[in-house]
Amino acid sequence: MLYRILPYLLLYALNVPLALLTGYIAYSHGQRFLRWLLIGLALPFVSVFLAIAVAIRHKQRLAAARGGAPAPVPAPGEFE
């Protein structure tokens, strides 16, 4: 019986870290963590690429809002 559910347990064990990674990527670019965590659980392999696309779009919007000016440099000890 264990051999029947083992592949599903392995997929679940891979799905959770991917969902957490998706949530982290989205959260680090101003999105809601829980929403992206749920998206990551529903779409485990696709969601990482979606979160990366959102992050790229976010950086492009920030660059466009600056009007070509360089990004501000954080002070020592300060993180973006």
Side-chain angles (χ1 to χ4, degrees), residues 38-52:
L38 295 175
I39 291 171
L41 289 173
L43 304 169
F45 299 104
V46 177
S47 64
V48 174
F49 296 108
L50 289 175
I52 291 171

Side-chain angles (χ1 to χ4, degrees), residues 62-63 65-72:
L62 286 177
R66 287 192 308 267

Side-chain angles (χ1 to χ4, degrees), residues 5-40:
I5 62 171
L6 190 61
Y8 297 108
L9 290 175
L10 292 175
L11 283 176
Y12 182 74
L14 182 63
N15 189 9
V16 171
L18 285 175
L20 289 171
L21 178 66
T22 300
Y24 174 75
I25 291 170
Y27 180 75
S28 67
H29 290 280
Q31 301 293 318
R32 293 187 176 171
F33 178 80
L34 184 59
R35 178 186 300 165
W36 280 93
L37 179 71
L38 295 175
I39 291 171

